[in-house]
Amino acid sequence: MAIAHRRIGTGPVRVIVLHDWFGTSANWGSVLDHLDPEGFSYVFLDYRGYGDRRDVPGRHTLAEIADDVLELADQLGWDTFSLLGHSMGGKAVQQVLVRAPERVEKLIGLAPVPAAPYAMDDATHALFHGAATDPEKRRVILDLVTGNRVSRHWLDRMVAHSLAVSRPEAFAGYLASWQPLDLSAAVKGNTVPVLVLVGEYDLAITPDVMRDTWQASYPDCRIVTVPGSGHYPPHETPVAFVTEVEAFLRI
């Protein structure tokens, strides 16, 4: 059965884009208006239980996301492609890399979860694992990762979107998959070109964390701090985000 997806552009540089824990293929702010449709082909995939695939049953794991990415690439006739993953999607693109390294041209992590298990103290564990059923916990997380500085209206819209477009069991299932998963040994030393983008106000995924994890794993990894942004550059600083992504992909 064909995998539903959102496509922007018909250009020669092929990119599969994976969203974050809260988002969908549609929740990329105004970035979708700024992508170069002549130079690039961007394909945005919703995970099972999210967005256009909200009613598609699944196990809700990163391994399943990787299976769907590779099936979608086959469906598109893409032997090779680059990957862009946001937050949880940043760990999912590494799962794809582990599964099929010969098919991945470049890797972009946007405020990406590292390959190792994501450490949580008791309070953080309760916050994250309670977010599937508690909208206020989702709001607290979003406020934290954007540096406690974004507008109340934006937070309200992001929480409402996440509740509307994802099934609670999928939201909980993906967290149970990405948080303890350890891909660090499998990716260590991989020479794929990597760009990591991290917002200067992100209180969870910081440049120091990226240097200690992503840059320690990938020899060809460059870290760029995005000024004026927290965890969501596509919403907070969309033109700067697109400029960095497309300059890296064009090299």
Side-chain angles (χ1 to χ4, degrees):
M1 186 174 180
I3 295 178
H5 58 279
R6 180 185 305 266
R7 179 166 181 163
I8 294 178
T10 56
V13 180
R14 302 173 295 197
V15 190
I16 296 178
V17 185
L18 301 183
H19 61 77
D20 71 312
W21 189 34
F22 286 85
T24 64
S25 63
N27 192 34
W28 285 79
S30 63
V31 156
L32 303 181
D33 298 325
H34 302 308
L35 298 170
D36 175 2
E38 296 180 356
F40 301 85
S41 293
Y42 293 97
V43 168
F44 294 75
L45 173 70
D46 284 332
Y47 308 139
R48 299 183 188 215
Y50 277 67
D52 291 340
R53 304 178 75 219
R54 191 177 187 277
D55 296 326
V56 177
R59 302 183 305 276
H60 307 128
T61 65
L62 264 63
E64 182 176 73
I65 293 173
D67 289 342
D68 284 353
V69 167
L70 294 172
E71 184 176 343
L72 176 58
D74 291 342
Q75 178 182 314
L76 295 166
W78 292 3
D79 292 333
T80 62
F81 46 86
S82 293
L83 288 163
L84 190 165
H86 181 202
S87 196
M88 176 183 90
K91 195 161 189 175
V93 298
Q94 295 180 89
Q95 179 71 82
V96 179
L97 180 68
V98 169
R99 187 72 56 82
E102 73 285 353
R103 300 188 69 174
V104 179
E105 297 174 0
K106 293 183 179 180
L107 214 58
I108 301 175
L110 169 61
V113 174
Y118 190 79
M120 294 182 180
D121 59 23
D122 290 345
T124 304
H125 188 276
L127 176 64
F128 274 66
H129 284 268
T133 56
D134 187 342
E136 183 55 32
K137 286 185 170 62
R138 297 192 190 205
R139 183 188 178 90
V140 169
I141 293 168
L142 287 164
D143 195 24
L144 171 71
V145 299
T146 47
N148 305 126
R149 46 177 280 283
V150 298
S151 74
R152 180 180 305 173
H153 179 64
W154 184 84
L155 289 172
D156 289 343
R157 290 188 64 215
M158 290 290 283
V159 171
H161 177 82
S162 71
L163 291 168
V165 300
S166 64
R167 292 186 175 276
E169 65 270 24
F171 193 86
Y174 289 119
L175 173 62
S177 176
W178 68 255
Q179 190 257 326
L181 181 65
D182 190 356
L183 300 171
S184 53
V187 303
K188 182 72 172 177
N190 192 296
T191 57
V192 64
V194 177
L195 172 67
V196 171
L197 299 172
V198 56
E200 69 167 318
Y201 295 113
D202 193 332
L203 299 180
I205 302 295
T206 65
D208 285 344
V209 170
M210 297 296 92
R211 281 188 283 271
D212 291 343
T213 56
W214 278 76
Q215 205 160 51
S217 294
Y218 297 98
D220 188 5
C221 176
R222 183 165 61 94
I223 298 171
V224 174
T225 299
V226 182
S229 183
H231 197 69
Y232 285 87
H235 287 258
E236 300 173 78
T237 54
V239 175
F241 166 70
V242 170
T243 300
E244 291 289 351
V245 165
E246 295 190 342
F248 173 71
L249 291 171
R250 280 193 178 100
I251 297 173

